[in-house]
Amino acid sequence: MAKITIDGNTREVADGTLILEAAMEQGIDIPTFCYMARLAPLASCRMCLVEIEGQGKLQPSCATTVADGMVVRTDTPLVAETRKSMLELLLANHPLDCPVCDKSGECELQDQVFEYGAGEARFQDQKRVFYSKDIDLNPVIIFNAQRCIQCQRCVRICEEVVGAVALGTVEKGMDTKVTGFENSLAGCDHCGNCIEVCPVGALMSTPYRYKARPWDLKETDTICPYCGTGCHLSISVRDGQLSRVRSKYETGVNGETLCVKGRFGIDFIDGDNRLRTPLVRKEGGLTAVSWEEAAAFIAERADGAIEKGGSGLGGLASPRLNNESLYLFQKLMRTAFRTNSIDSSSRWSAAGPGAYQSLEGLFGGLYARRSLHQVLEADCILILGATVTDETPVTEYMVRGVARSRGTKLFIASARPSRLDSEAISSLRFVPGAEAYLLSALLNGIEGAEKTFANMGALKKSLLKAAKTPPPEFGEFLEKARTAFGAAESVTLLIGADLLRSPGAAAALSMVHGLGRVLDALGKRAEVQFLFDRPNQMGAWELGVLPGLLPGWRPVGDAAVRAPFEEAWGASLPADSGADFRRMLERSEAGKMDVLYVAGSDPLLSYPDGGLVESALSKARLLIVQDAFMTGTARLADVVLPAATFAEEPGTFTNNEGKVQELRPIRRPAFESKPNAEIFALVAEALGRDLGPVSPDAVFAEIAHLVPSYRGLSRDGLGDDGSYTRPFAEENGGDLDDPPLAAPRRTKGLELVTGDSMFHSGYLSGNSPVLGNLSAKAYVEMNPDAAAGLELADGSGVVVRSSHGEMKARLKLNKRFPAGVVFVPDNFADARLNRLLKHGEYPCPVEVQRE
Ligand code: SF4
Ligand code: SF4
Ligand code: SF4
Ligand code: FES
């Protein structure tokens, strides 16, 4: 600790603290431009200069650390005069065009000139002009170079946090010019973080340009609807219309950053494809009707089927819906439609009941329900089955941060390469399906680990099986990871969505348990967190939107488990385990599905066996689709119920950290759409059931009463930072099984994998005009050598063919791609990739040929 006196106040602060930060802690305001807590100090703007006793020259407080006995003064005449001079210098070249500048009213230069400036300009020289016009750097960023004050926050956030290195500088001093490659931004993510940190109106958002003045905007804080990182968004609206989305300094898991989807993709709420009124199929076509008519239609068509009961009813809901809606959905299906055939995982055809059993165990203990920042403080991090850069970009920024600043040992094992690989000690490319094998081989080589296997029950067999002959391509990765894990005191495993796509999901999750146990037995702290690319996968699962499981992962077949729900809901519940979405489709295809209720999901676009999905959905006797958009699935429906988007209804999401965060509506639902919760209540009422109060407070209270991991939480108590759910069981309680270990697959042909791209992750992004403009069509990505062997050139049109179907797209070559792997982003409506994919098979063997 160091004792330091600032402006007469003496305090002890930690060694290594910057004077600026020590002053901030004491509530002393020092003006800055180039400083940002998250970025390496540059000390270029000289606004933060302070006097230090015993030192002849003023020192930059943003780059000088405290020393014991130091006496600092921040408000002397010399300091004030110097600040005035620095501002005068900046204004010498700054165009005084505040009346037409988008930043006016929230510009740091304006504020500081007002607070510390001279009040008049003495420089009469010609101002420096870099370019006579503003430059469109790309579709979302416009640059006015004259306004730049050379703080380089943009360049540093792009390089240090985003990792894109799309911006740089040329020349020096006052002539320093921020630039991209030839005035465009090659390799830019379009995340807009450079716009966010620019203190002046130099870097500006094109979609927001000339739209509003800050004082005309109504700002609402809410949570991003795209991925499970759960970033805070501040959404500004003018006259009910979306104006812009920003992040807030030091707020939420994301701090001042967002990715392109969060910052520019929220415009889907005003997309052309919004549903306006309820629709009912009459004489073959969908016809606009009133809500009453739609509800009566459902009641009339569903009544007989409910009375008949049995397996002819079921529902699918999206993990993009909020907690309250998901909870009400399963309550509606169980009490009004009297079925346990409920699912929320339509993208993972290969993950069956075994996988959910393992997930339940993980949710009970090893899964860390605490901040990602804390979880990333481990000595070693292993990312398994995820392409973090594209799927959960802000999580990627954080992982990069710890790898660089703390020297955390990062390992990545995934099918696709990503920018994060360059931060890793070692990256392994492998075809999905061999995750359990990989983990087993890793554990087997950690020093001293084998001695712990004796206590691992049946798992011992699989632990010993893999390691004897690890394939050569695993060699270097395994060697480095075993050494690092062996030396580490703490290990974090981050699991991505890819792991759940493969038929090996259950085995992989069992082995994750094994990893936790073995590391624990070795005296190390092991934690798991998920990297889901949907905002509320955690909520969907824990609130019972799964076949066979009531909220809290509890088996519906057990009468004692059902009893409290029956009491709370005033209804007896069916006891059968229900069907997953696959079985619902099979029944429908066989003409045995009376009612299928799809809420917020478009399986026609996303579920494997696209051909079967289309045929099966068409054969359901009553297909109810509740959505904000006219999706492909909605076009097949008998009744379509227009729902609010995430930005038009209250509720909560539970993010990958297990944190429950509040969604605040920015406006009332568009057109005649209604909040999802209200629609479920309306449908229940039409069927003669009462779902009870459906206000967000009431539903949340019910969840907190019935779901162990939500116990003790209240909506009021969530506050701005949210509250963590809790583990509900002891991890070390149960027996571990002996999962089958699939050795890494070796084929001579090509294997197709899929997932999100940076600009697209499902039909929300598909309805965003800005994201659509950045990435309108699906593409095929593969290794240049593999492409050359097939005489395919970059950008050429290709056909990808599986045993199931084919699709056409342009080829994109990526030399970091493994030779045998082909990637096509999923959920592009033009490609209908799901027509190629087969249920239960992942990755999918394909051929690629010239079109
Ligand atoms: S938008 Fe993002 S990636 Fe592009 S230049 Fe700005 S910070 Fe860098
Ligand atoms: S463009 Fe903005 S953030 Fe970048 S150096 Fe100039 S003033 Fe600073
Ligand atoms: S990282 Fe995820 S939650 Fe954050 S802004 Fe991007 S899509 Fe939204
Ligand atoms: S903020 Fe310290 S020199 Fe710029």
Side-chain angles (χ1 to χ4, degrees), residues 614-638:
E614 186 160 357
S615 155
L617 290 174
S618 311
K619 288 180 185 164
R621 288 195 188 94
L622 174 62
L623 177 62
I624 306 168
V625 174
Q626 176 171 323
D627 212 302
F629 299 98
M630 178 52 92
T631 61
T633 303
R635 284 196 184 90
L636 299 174
D638 299 292

Side-chain angles (χ1 to χ4, degrees), residues 40 50 82 112 115 263 290 300 463 508 535 559 600 658 711 745 757 787:
V50 292
T82 309
Q112 298 209 14
E115 183 86 22
R263 190 179 305 281
S290 67
E300 189 193 321
L463 278 169
R711 213 157 271 161
R745 210 153 111 175
S757 67

